[in-house]
mmCIF file of all heavy atoms in Angstrom:
data_model
loop_
_atom_site.group_PDB
_atom_site.id
_atom_site.type_symbol
_atom_site.label_atom_id
_atom_site.label_comp_id
_atom_site.label_asym_id
_atom_site.label_seq_id
_atom_site.Cartn_x
_atom_site.Cartn_y
_atom_site.Cartn_z
ATOM 1 N N ILE F 39 -38.750 28.047 0.790
ATOM 2 C CA ILE F 39 -38.368 28.372 2.169
ATOM 3 C C ILE F 39 -38.057 29.927 2.293
ATOM 4 O O ILE F 39 -37.227 30.374 1.445
ATOM 5 C CB ILE F 39 -37.204 27.532 2.670
ATOM 6 C CG1 ILE F 39 -37.612 26.143 2.725
ATOM 7 C CG2 ILE F 39 -36.819 28.068 4.097
ATOM 8 C CD1 ILE F 39 -36.451 25.232 3.035
ATOM 9 N N ASP F 40 -38.639 30.705 3.174
ATOM 10 C CA ASP F 40 -38.445 32.144 3.134
ATOM 11 C C ASP F 40 -37.030 32.367 3.843
ATOM 12 O O ASP F 40 -36.520 31.443 4.476
ATOM 13 C CB ASP F 40 -39.445 32.795 4.002
ATOM 14 C CG ASP F 40 -39.471 32.371 5.516
ATOM 15 O OD1 ASP F 40 -38.598 32.832 6.221
ATOM 16 O OD2 ASP F 40 -40.414 31.588 6.020
ATOM 17 N N PRO F 41 -36.366 33.536 3.553
ATOM 18 C CA PRO F 41 -35.092 33.778 4.034
ATOM 19 C C PRO F 41 -34.946 33.631 5.508
ATOM 20 O O PRO F 41 -33.851 33.315 5.893
ATOM 21 C CB PRO F 41 -34.892 35.243 3.540
ATOM 22 C CG PRO F 41 -35.787 35.373 2.453
ATOM 23 C CD PRO F 41 -36.967 34.500 2.688
ATOM 24 N N THR F 42 -35.932 33.900 6.282
ATOM 25 C CA THR F 42 -35.730 33.790 7.751
ATOM 26 C C THR F 42 -35.485 32.411 8.193
ATOM 27 O O THR F 42 -34.519 32.036 8.907
ATOM 28 C CB THR F 42 -37.012 34.358 8.412
ATOM 29 O OG1 THR F 42 -37.128 35.778 8.049
ATOM 30 C CG2 THR F 42 -36.784 34.237 10.044
ATOM 31 N N ASP F 43 -36.336 31.477 7.723
ATOM 32 C CA ASP F 43 -36.118 30.024 7.935
ATOM 33 C C ASP F 43 -34.808 29.445 7.387
ATOM 34 O O ASP F 43 -34.151 28.628 8.104
ATOM 35 C CB ASP F 43 -37.243 29.227 7.581
ATOM 36 C CG ASP F 43 -38.556 29.352 8.512
ATOM 37 O OD1 ASP F 43 -38.322 29.853 9.591
ATOM 38 O OD2 ASP F 43 -39.613 29.051 7.980
ATOM 39 N N TYR F 44 -34.522 29.915 6.190
ATOM 40 C CA TYR F 44 -33.319 29.481 5.562
ATOM 41 C C TYR F 44 -32.085 29.953 6.360
ATOM 42 O O TYR F 44 -31.072 29.186 6.542
ATOM 43 C CB TYR F 44 -33.195 29.971 4.168
ATOM 44 C CG TYR F 44 -32.033 29.322 3.347
ATOM 45 C CD1 TYR F 44 -32.307 28.188 2.559
ATOM 46 C CD2 TYR F 44 -30.817 29.932 3.392
ATOM 47 C CE1 TYR F 44 -31.302 27.707 1.864
ATOM 48 C CE2 TYR F 44 -29.706 29.390 2.578
ATOM 49 C CZ TYR F 44 -30.024 28.283 1.854
ATOM 50 O OH TYR F 44 -28.959 27.712 1.108
ATOM 51 N N GLY F 45 -32.191 31.033 6.924
ATOM 52 C CA GLY F 45 -31.087 31.637 7.786
ATOM 53 C C GLY F 45 -30.963 30.853 8.993
ATOM 54 O O GLY F 45 -29.811 30.676 9.511
ATOM 55 N N TYR F 46 -32.043 30.347 9.668
ATOM 56 C CA TYR F 46 -31.930 29.525 10.809
ATOM 57 C C TYR F 46 -31.216 28.202 10.498
ATOM 58 O O TYR F 46 -30.356 27.677 11.323
ATOM 59 C CB TYR F 46 -33.306 29.200 11.395
ATOM 60 C CG TYR F 46 -34.021 30.337 12.084
ATOM 61 C CD1 TYR F 46 -35.367 30.628 11.874
ATOM 62 C CD2 TYR F 46 -33.326 31.085 13.046
ATOM 63 C CE1 TYR F 46 -35.904 31.738 12.537
ATOM 64 C CE2 TYR F 46 -33.900 32.126 13.752
ATOM 65 C CZ TYR F 46 -35.176 32.410 13.473
ATOM 66 O OH TYR F 46 -35.854 33.501 14.027
ATOM 67 N N TRP F 47 -31.408 27.681 9.332
ATOM 68 C CA TRP F 47 -30.755 26.390 8.909
ATOM 69 C C TRP F 47 -29.193 26.672 8.759
ATOM 70 O O TRP F 47 -28.361 25.924 9.116
ATOM 71 C CB TRP F 47 -31.330 25.861 7.529
ATOM 72 C CG TRP F 47 -30.512 24.772 7.143
ATOM 73 C CD1 TRP F 47 -30.412 23.439 7.682
ATOM 74 C CD2 TRP F 47 -29.449 24.819 6.144
ATOM 75 N NE1 TRP F 47 -29.528 22.712 6.926
ATOM 76 C CE2 TRP F 47 -28.890 23.503 5.951
ATOM 77 C CE3 TRP F 47 -29.052 25.752 5.193
ATOM 78 C CZ2 TRP F 47 -27.973 23.153 4.992
ATOM 79 C CZ3 TRP F 47 -28.040 25.421 4.215
ATOM 80 C CH2 TRP F 47 -27.580 24.226 4.105
ATOM 81 N N VAL F 48 -28.904 27.890 8.139
ATOM 82 C CA VAL F 48 -27.575 28.289 8.073
ATOM 83 C C VAL F 48 -26.771 28.439 9.377
ATOM 84 O O VAL F 48 -25.721 27.887 9.520
ATOM 85 C CB VAL F 48 -27.424 29.762 7.344
ATOM 86 C CG1 VAL F 48 -26.108 30.303 7.324
ATOM 87 C CG2 VAL F 48 -27.930 29.626 5.866
ATOM 88 N N LEU F 49 -27.500 28.964 10.314
ATOM 89 C CA LEU F 49 -26.939 29.041 11.693
ATOM 90 C C LEU F 49 -26.774 27.652 12.373
ATOM 91 O O LEU F 49 -25.768 27.393 13.001
ATOM 92 C CB LEU F 49 -27.640 29.974 12.580
ATOM 93 C CG LEU F 49 -27.828 31.405 12.120
ATOM 94 C CD1 LEU F 49 -28.745 32.208 12.968
ATOM 95 C CD2 LEU F 49 -26.531 32.033 12.159
ATOM 96 N N ALA F 50 -27.645 26.881 12.136
ATOM 97 C CA ALA F 50 -27.700 25.429 12.637
ATOM 98 C C ALA F 50 -26.580 24.703 12.022
ATOM 99 O O ALA F 50 -25.796 23.942 12.699
ATOM 100 C CB ALA F 50 -28.993 24.625 12.512
ATOM 101 N N TYR F 51 -26.280 24.856 10.753
ATOM 102 C CA TYR F 51 -25.261 24.111 10.054
ATOM 103 C C TYR F 51 -23.909 24.626 10.541
ATOM 104 O O TYR F 51 -23.018 23.876 10.710
ATOM 105 C CB TYR F 51 -25.378 24.368 8.506
ATOM 106 C CG TYR F 51 -24.307 23.544 7.789
ATOM 107 C CD1 TYR F 51 -24.745 22.204 7.363
ATOM 108 C CD2 TYR F 51 -23.150 24.052 7.462
ATOM 109 C CE1 TYR F 51 -23.782 21.483 6.610
ATOM 110 C CE2 TYR F 51 -22.130 23.278 6.793
ATOM 111 C CZ TYR F 51 -22.506 21.980 6.289
ATOM 112 O OH TYR F 51 -21.629 21.281 5.631
ATOM 113 N N SER F 52 -23.809 25.946 10.811
ATOM 114 C CA SER F 52 -22.503 26.428 11.449
ATOM 115 C C SER F 52 -22.189 25.735 12.777
ATOM 116 O O SER F 52 -21.072 25.331 13.004
ATOM 117 C CB SER F 52 -22.673 27.909 11.661
ATOM 118 O OG SER F 52 -22.853 28.643 10.444
ATOM 119 N N PHE F 53 -23.141 25.538 13.595
ATOM 120 C CA PHE F 53 -22.974 24.829 14.800
ATOM 121 C C PHE F 53 -22.561 23.333 14.498
ATOM 122 O O PHE F 53 -21.705 22.687 15.161
ATOM 123 C CB PHE F 53 -24.132 24.939 15.709
ATOM 124 C CG PHE F 53 -24.054 24.189 17.031
ATOM 125 C CD1 PHE F 53 -23.266 24.696 18.030
ATOM 126 C CD2 PHE F 53 -24.671 23.046 17.232
ATOM 127 C CE1 PHE F 53 -23.034 24.067 19.284
ATOM 128 C CE2 PHE F 53 -24.516 22.361 18.420
ATOM 129 C CZ PHE F 53 -23.734 22.851 19.506
ATOM 130 N N ALA F 54 -23.353 22.680 13.648
ATOM 131 C CA ALA F 54 -23.127 21.361 13.198
ATOM 132 C C ALA F 54 -21.612 21.126 12.718
ATOM 133 O O ALA F 54 -21.016 20.045 13.138
ATOM 134 C CB ALA F 54 -24.099 20.831 12.137
ATOM 135 N N THR F 104 -26.263 16.782 22.071
ATOM 136 C CA THR F 104 -27.017 17.943 21.285
ATOM 137 C C THR F 104 -28.447 17.652 21.431
ATOM 138 O O THR F 104 -29.224 18.555 21.655
ATOM 139 C CB THR F 104 -26.618 17.861 19.824
ATOM 140 O OG1 THR F 104 -25.115 18.152 19.713
ATOM 141 C CG2 THR F 104 -27.348 19.012 19.135
ATOM 142 N N TRP F 105 -28.884 16.367 21.213
ATOM 143 C CA TRP F 105 -30.273 16.056 21.262
ATOM 144 C C TRP F 105 -30.794 16.293 22.720
ATOM 145 O O TRP F 105 -31.981 16.858 22.877
ATOM 146 C CB TRP F 105 -30.581 14.583 20.941
ATOM 147 C CG TRP F 105 -30.649 14.396 19.409
ATOM 148 C CD1 TRP F 105 -29.803 14.049 18.557
ATOM 149 C CD2 TRP F 105 -31.883 14.711 18.651
ATOM 150 N NE1 TRP F 105 -30.269 14.020 17.280
ATOM 151 C CE2 TRP F 105 -31.670 14.433 17.324
ATOM 152 C CE3 TRP F 105 -33.212 15.149 18.983
ATOM 153 C CZ2 TRP F 105 -32.545 14.558 16.347
ATOM 154 C CZ3 TRP F 105 -34.173 15.296 17.990
ATOM 155 C CH2 TRP F 105 -33.792 14.988 16.654
ATOM 156 N N ARG F 108 -30.931 20.196 23.137
ATOM 157 C CA ARG F 108 -31.223 20.920 21.941
ATOM 158 C C ARG F 108 -32.046 22.254 22.240
ATOM 159 O O ARG F 108 -31.801 23.257 21.469
ATOM 160 C CB ARG F 108 -32.080 20.123 21.015
ATOM 161 C CG ARG F 108 -33.370 19.584 21.597
ATOM 162 C CD ARG F 108 -34.000 18.574 20.680
ATOM 163 N NE ARG F 108 -35.269 18.077 21.048
ATOM 164 C CZ ARG F 108 -35.411 17.076 21.871
ATOM 165 N NH1 ARG F 108 -34.462 16.474 22.411
ATOM 166 N NH2 ARG F 108 -36.627 16.617 22.199
ATOM 167 N N ASP F 109 -32.887 22.353 23.274
ATOM 168 C CA ASP F 109 -33.552 23.496 23.455
ATOM 169 C C ASP F 109 -32.672 24.661 23.903
ATOM 170 O O ASP F 109 -32.797 25.820 23.459
ATOM 171 C CB ASP F 109 -34.679 23.229 24.658
ATOM 172 C CG ASP F 109 -35.838 22.268 24.154
ATOM 173 O OD1 ASP F 109 -36.122 22.466 22.958
ATOM 174 O OD2 ASP F 109 -36.254 21.606 24.962
ATOM 175 N N LEU F 111 -29.398 24.841 23.423
ATOM 176 C CA LEU F 111 -28.440 25.192 22.452
ATOM 177 C C LEU F 111 -29.088 25.957 21.259
ATOM 178 O O LEU F 111 -28.441 26.909 20.655
ATOM 179 C CB LEU F 111 -27.892 23.810 21.832
ATOM 180 C CG LEU F 111 -26.870 23.105 22.698
ATOM 181 C CD1 LEU F 111 -26.551 21.732 22.118
ATOM 182 C CD2 LEU F 111 -25.637 23.895 23.010
ATOM 183 N N SER F 112 -30.333 25.714 21.026
ATOM 184 C CA SER F 112 -31.040 26.527 19.890
ATOM 185 C C SER F 112 -31.108 27.934 20.282
ATOM 186 O O SER F 112 -31.040 28.867 19.469
ATOM 187 C CB SER F 112 -32.390 25.837 19.655
ATOM 188 O OG SER F 112 -33.298 25.946 20.708
ATOM 189 N N VAL F 115 -27.501 29.303 19.962
ATOM 190 C CA VAL F 115 -26.966 29.376 18.649
ATOM 191 C C VAL F 115 -27.794 30.307 17.675
ATOM 192 O O VAL F 115 -27.260 31.114 16.782
ATOM 193 C CB VAL F 115 -26.826 27.977 17.985
ATOM 194 C CG1 VAL F 115 -26.331 27.994 16.556
ATOM 195 C CG2 VAL F 115 -25.823 27.045 18.800
ATOM 196 N N MET F 116 -29.068 30.150 17.772
ATOM 197 C CA MET F 116 -30.039 30.645 16.760
ATOM 198 C C MET F 116 -30.964 31.729 17.392
ATOM 199 O O MET F 116 -31.652 32.298 16.592
ATOM 200 C CB MET F 116 -30.813 29.653 16.061
ATOM 201 C CG MET F 116 -29.979 28.640 15.326
ATOM 202 S SD MET F 116 -30.977 27.322 14.447
ATOM 203 C CE MET F 116 -31.862 26.582 15.851
ATOM 204 N N ALA F 118 -33.550 31.004 18.724
ATOM 205 C CA ALA F 118 -34.840 30.532 18.176
ATOM 206 C C ALA F 118 -35.165 29.147 18.793
ATOM 207 O O ALA F 118 -34.856 28.197 18.160
ATOM 208 C CB ALA F 118 -34.887 30.475 16.653
ATOM 209 N N PRO F 119 -35.816 29.033 20.052
ATOM 210 C CA PRO F 119 -36.042 27.883 20.740
ATOM 211 C C PRO F 119 -36.985 26.921 19.820
ATOM 212 O O PRO F 119 -37.019 25.707 19.967
ATOM 213 C CB PRO F 119 -36.712 28.265 22.005
ATOM 214 C CG PRO F 119 -37.120 29.683 21.763
ATOM 215 C CD PRO F 119 -36.237 30.297 20.833
ATOM 216 N N ALA F 120 -37.799 27.534 18.982
ATOM 217 C CA ALA F 120 -38.802 26.830 18.107
ATOM 218 C C ALA F 120 -38.020 25.906 17.164
ATOM 219 O O ALA F 120 -38.609 24.965 16.572
ATOM 220 C CB ALA F 120 -39.738 27.753 17.460
ATOM 221 N N HIS F 121 -36.772 26.214 16.857
ATOM 222 C CA HIS F 121 -35.992 25.447 15.966
ATOM 223 C C HIS F 121 -35.009 24.430 16.622
ATOM 224 O O HIS F 121 -34.052 24.203 15.942
ATOM 225 C CB HIS F 121 -35.338 26.409 14.870
ATOM 226 C CG HIS F 121 -36.306 26.988 13.935
ATOM 227 N ND1 HIS F 121 -36.888 26.378 12.852
ATOM 228 C CD2 HIS F 121 -36.742 28.319 13.779
ATOM 229 C CE1 HIS F 121 -37.670 27.154 12.173
ATOM 230 N NE2 HIS F 121 -37.604 28.335 12.768
ATOM 231 N N ALA F 122 -35.362 23.914 17.757
ATOM 232 C CA ALA F 122 -34.476 23.097 18.468
ATOM 233 C C ALA F 122 -34.338 21.770 17.688
ATOM 234 O O ALA F 122 -33.084 21.256 17.631
ATOM 235 C CB ALA F 122 -35.006 22.673 19.877
ATOM 236 N N GLU F 123 -35.314 21.273 17.094
ATOM 237 C CA GLU F 123 -35.149 19.929 16.313
ATOM 238 C C GLU F 123 -34.383 20.137 15.054
ATOM 239 O O GLU F 123 -33.579 19.292 14.646
ATOM 240 C CB GLU F 123 -36.561 19.428 15.980
ATOM 241 C CG GLU F 123 -37.267 18.822 17.167
ATOM 242 C CD GLU F 123 -38.393 17.902 16.779
ATOM 243 O OE1 GLU F 123 -38.520 17.667 15.559
ATOM 244 O OE2 GLU F 123 -39.160 17.507 17.654
ATOM 245 N N LEU F 124 -34.535 21.451 14.425
ATOM 246 C CA LEU F 124 -33.647 21.674 13.387
ATOM 247 C C LEU F 124 -32.195 21.598 13.640
ATOM 248 O O LEU F 124 -31.402 21.050 12.889
ATOM 249 C CB LEU F 124 -33.971 23.111 12.722
ATOM 250 C CG LEU F 124 -33.200 23.615 11.587
ATOM 251 C CD1 LEU F 124 -33.254 22.750 10.322
ATOM 252 C CD2 LEU F 124 -33.575 25.020 11.210
ATOM 253 N N LEU F 125 -31.838 22.205 14.646
ATOM 254 C CA LEU F 125 -30.466 22.138 15.145
ATOM 255 C C LEU F 125 -29.943 20.702 15.424
ATOM 256 O O LEU F 125 -28.945 20.309 14.933
ATOM 257 C CB LEU F 125 -30.217 22.895 16.567
ATOM 258 C CG LEU F 125 -28.855 23.072 17.066
ATOM 259 C CD1 LEU F 125 -28.023 23.907 16.170
ATOM 260 C CD2 LEU F 125 -28.861 23.545 18.497
ATOM 261 N N ALA F 126 -30.842 19.957 16.038
ATOM 262 C CA ALA F 126 -30.392 18.509 16.434
ATOM 263 C C ALA F 126 -30.202 17.675 15.199
ATOM 264 O O ALA F 126 -29.341 16.847 14.967
ATOM 265 C CB ALA F 126 -31.296 17.958 17.394
ATOM 266 N N TRP F 127 -31.265 17.748 14.275
ATOM 267 C CA TRP F 127 -31.225 17.024 13.096
ATOM 268 C C TRP F 127 -30.044 17.456 12.114
ATOM 269 O O TRP F 127 -29.392 16.566 11.448
ATOM 270 C CB TRP F 127 -32.483 17.148 12.275
ATOM 271 C CG TRP F 127 -33.647 16.297 12.717
ATOM 272 C CD1 TRP F 127 -34.843 16.633 13.312
ATOM 273 C CD2 TRP F 127 -33.657 14.807 12.789
ATOM 274 N NE1 TRP F 127 -35.533 15.552 13.697
ATOM 275 C CE2 TRP F 127 -34.950 14.470 13.342
ATOM 276 C CE3 TRP F 127 -32.834 13.853 12.259
ATOM 277 C CZ2 TRP F 127 -35.260 13.144 13.459
ATOM 278 C CZ3 TRP F 127 -33.122 12.503 12.537
ATOM 279 C CH2 TRP F 127 -34.276 12.134 13.005
ATOM 280 N N THR F 128 -29.677 18.718 12.133
ATOM 281 C CA THR F 128 -28.590 19.218 11.338
ATOM 282 C C THR F 128 -27.234 18.656 11.816
ATOM 283 O O THR F 128 -26.483 18.211 11.085
ATOM 284 C CB THR F 128 -28.633 20.630 11.315
ATOM 285 O OG1 THR F 128 -29.856 21.186 10.733
ATOM 286 C CG2 THR F 128 -27.493 21.249 10.255
ATOM 287 N N VAL F 129 -27.100 18.669 13.058
ATOM 288 C CA VAL F 129 -25.931 18.140 13.752
ATOM 289 C C VAL F 129 -25.769 16.615 13.386
ATOM 290 O O VAL F 129 -24.742 16.115 12.965
ATOM 291 C CB VAL F 129 -25.845 18.273 15.320
ATOM 292 C CG1 VAL F 129 -24.811 17.494 15.949
ATOM 293 C CG2 VAL F 129 -25.777 19.743 15.528
ATOM 294 N N THR F 130 -26.863 15.893 13.542
ATOM 295 C CA THR F 130 -26.897 14.532 13.156
ATOM 296 C C THR F 130 -26.448 14.199 11.750
ATOM 297 O O THR F 130 -25.639 13.366 11.421
ATOM 298 C CB THR F 130 -28.305 13.781 13.397
ATOM 299 O OG1 THR F 130 -28.713 14.072 14.809
ATOM 300 C CG2 THR F 130 -28.281 12.347 13.238
ATOM 301 N N ALA F 131 -27.020 15.000 10.852
ATOM 302 C CA ALA F 131 -26.768 14.791 9.425
ATOM 303 C C ALA F 131 -25.229 15.056 9.089
ATOM 304 O O ALA F 131 -24.581 14.351 8.354
ATOM 305 C CB ALA F 131 -27.552 15.716 8.556
ATOM 306 N N VAL F 132 -24.673 16.176 9.571
ATOM 307 C CA VAL F 132 -23.277 16.487 9.330
ATOM 308 C C VAL F 132 -22.408 15.445 9.926
ATOM 309 O O VAL F 132 -21.376 15.080 9.400
ATOM 310 C CB VAL F 132 -23.052 17.940 9.912
ATOM 311 C CG1 VAL F 132 -21.511 18.243 9.799
ATOM 312 C CG2 VAL F 132 -23.787 18.969 9.211
ATOM 313 N N VAL F 173 -38.723 19.148 0.740
ATOM 314 C CA VAL F 173 -39.089 20.573 0.982
ATOM 315 C C VAL F 173 -40.108 21.084 -0.080
ATOM 316 O O VAL F 173 -41.171 21.676 0.385
ATOM 317 C CB VAL F 173 -37.801 21.445 0.792
ATOM 318 C CG1 VAL F 173 -38.135 22.870 0.720
ATOM 319 C CG2 VAL F 173 -36.743 21.112 1.785
ATOM 320 N N VAL F 178 -42.220 19.683 4.097
ATOM 321 C CA VAL F 178 -41.897 19.512 5.577
ATOM 322 C C VAL F 178 -41.192 20.778 6.066
ATOM 323 O O VAL F 178 -40.888 20.765 7.283
ATOM 324 C CB VAL F 178 -40.939 18.283 5.630
ATOM 325 C CG1 VAL F 178 -41.716 17.018 5.149
ATOM 326 C CG2 VAL F 178 -39.571 18.572 4.953
ATOM 327 N N GLY F 179 -40.871 21.626 5.214
ATOM 328 C CA GLY F 179 -40.322 22.943 5.739
ATOM 329 C C GLY F 179 -38.814 22.853 5.755
ATOM 330 O O GLY F 179 -38.223 22.009 5.113
ATOM 331 N N VAL F 180 -38.225 23.727 6.668
ATOM 332 C CA VAL F 180 -36.800 23.842 6.656
ATOM 333 C C VAL F 180 -36.089 22.584 7.206
ATOM 334 O O VAL F 180 -35.005 22.314 6.946
ATOM 335 C CB VAL F 180 -36.420 24.992 7.651
ATOM 336 C CG1 VAL F 180 -36.773 24.800 9.103
ATOM 337 C CG2 VAL F 180 -35.011 25.478 7.377
ATOM 338 N N LEU F 181 -36.875 21.667 7.937
ATOM 339 C CA LEU F 181 -36.386 20.478 8.331
ATOM 340 C C LEU F 181 -35.809 19.487 7.132
ATOM 341 O O LEU F 181 -34.971 18.746 7.346
ATOM 342 C CB LEU F 181 -37.327 19.611 9.208
ATOM 343 C CG LEU F 181 -37.474 20.022 10.645
ATOM 344 C CD1 LEU F 181 -38.675 19.313 11.268
ATOM 345 C CD2 LEU F 181 -36.224 19.752 11.419
ATOM 346 N N GLY F 182 -36.414 19.678 6.018
ATOM 347 C CA GLY F 182 -35.969 19.027 4.928
ATOM 348 C C GLY F 182 -34.587 19.204 4.461
ATOM 349 O O GLY F 182 -33.909 18.353 3.926
ATOM 350 N N LEU F 183 -34.035 20.354 4.896
ATOM 351 C CA LEU F 183 -32.687 20.724 4.538
ATOM 352 C C LEU F 183 -31.654 19.864 5.350
ATOM 353 O O LEU F 183 -30.496 19.669 5.020
ATOM 354 C CB LEU F 183 -32.354 22.228 4.736
ATOM 355 C CG LEU F 183 -33.139 23.215 3.935
ATOM 356 C CD1 LEU F 183 -32.769 24.733 4.319
ATOM 357 C CD2 LEU F 183 -32.891 22.949 2.445
ATOM 358 N N ALA F 184 -32.106 19.317 6.481
ATOM 359 C CA ALA F 184 -31.352 18.401 7.318
ATOM 360 C C ALA F 184 -31.561 16.964 6.985
ATOM 361 O O ALA F 184 -30.747 16.187 6.889
ATOM 362 C CB ALA F 184 -31.622 18.665 8.761
ATOM 363 N N TRP F 185 -32.944 16.664 6.687
ATOM 364 C CA TRP F 185 -33.324 15.227 6.534
ATOM 365 C C TRP F 185 -32.809 14.742 5.196
ATOM 366 O O TRP F 185 -32.358 13.605 5.035
ATOM 367 C CB TRP F 185 -34.874 15.114 6.514
ATOM 368 C CG TRP F 185 -35.411 15.231 7.913
ATOM 369 C CD1 TRP F 185 -34.694 15.234 9.086
ATOM 370 C CD2 TRP F 185 -36.783 15.511 8.266
ATOM 371 N NE1 TRP F 185 -35.502 15.404 10.127
ATOM 372 C CE2 TRP F 185 -36.907 15.540 9.694
ATOM 373 C CE3 TRP F 185 -37.931 15.515 7.558
ATOM 374 C CZ2 TRP F 185 -38.017 15.704 10.363
ATOM 375 C CZ3 TRP F 185 -39.180 15.781 8.255
ATOM 376 C CH2 TRP F 185 -39.119 15.868 9.653
ATOM 377 N N GLY F 186 -32.759 15.619 4.174
ATOM 378 C CA GLY F 186 -32.278 15.225 2.808
ATOM 379 C C GLY F 186 -30.885 14.716 2.841
ATOM 380 O O GLY F 186 -30.589 13.504 2.479
ATOM 381 N N PRO F 187 -29.910 15.521 3.235
ATOM 382 C CA PRO F 187 -28.557 15.030 3.387
ATOM 383 C C PRO F 187 -28.376 13.842 4.368
ATOM 384 O O PRO F 187 -27.475 13.051 4.168
ATOM 385 C CB PRO F 187 -27.774 16.292 3.933
ATOM 386 C CG PRO F 187 -28.671 17.464 3.499
ATOM 387 C CD PRO F 187 -30.023 16.874 3.616
ATOM 388 N N LEU F 188 -29.068 13.726 5.398
ATOM 389 C CA LEU F 188 -28.990 12.736 6.354
ATOM 390 C C LEU F 188 -29.348 11.324 5.637
ATOM 391 O O LEU F 188 -28.677 10.301 5.821
ATOM 392 C CB LEU F 188 -29.905 12.881 7.606
ATOM 393 C CG LEU F 188 -29.982 11.758 8.601
ATOM 394 C CD1 LEU F 188 -28.509 11.447 9.095
ATOM 395 C CD2 LEU F 188 -30.914 12.128 9.683
ATOM 396 N N SER F 249 -31.584 36.695 10.862
ATOM 397 C CA SER F 249 -31.318 35.379 10.238
ATOM 398 C C SER F 249 -31.571 35.572 8.628
ATOM 399 O O SER F 249 -30.909 34.826 7.901
ATOM 400 C CB SER F 249 -32.364 34.340 10.755
ATOM 401 O OG SER F 249 -33.652 34.651 10.535
#
Side-chain angles (χ1 to χ4, degrees):
I39 297 176
D40 66 75
T42 299
D43 283 344
Y44 191 90
Y46 286 133
W47 173 76
V48 169
L49 298 175
Y51 187 87
S52 298
F53 178 75
T104 300
W105 275 97
R108 61 186 181 277
D109 292 324
L111 288 172
S112 65
V115 175
M116 303 183 293
H121 286 288
E123 286 197 8
L124 173 63
L125 181 70
W127 279 115
T128 304
V129 169
T130 304
V132 174
V173 173
V178 302
V180 71
L181 281 172
L183 298 179
W185 290 347
L188 178 59
S249 64

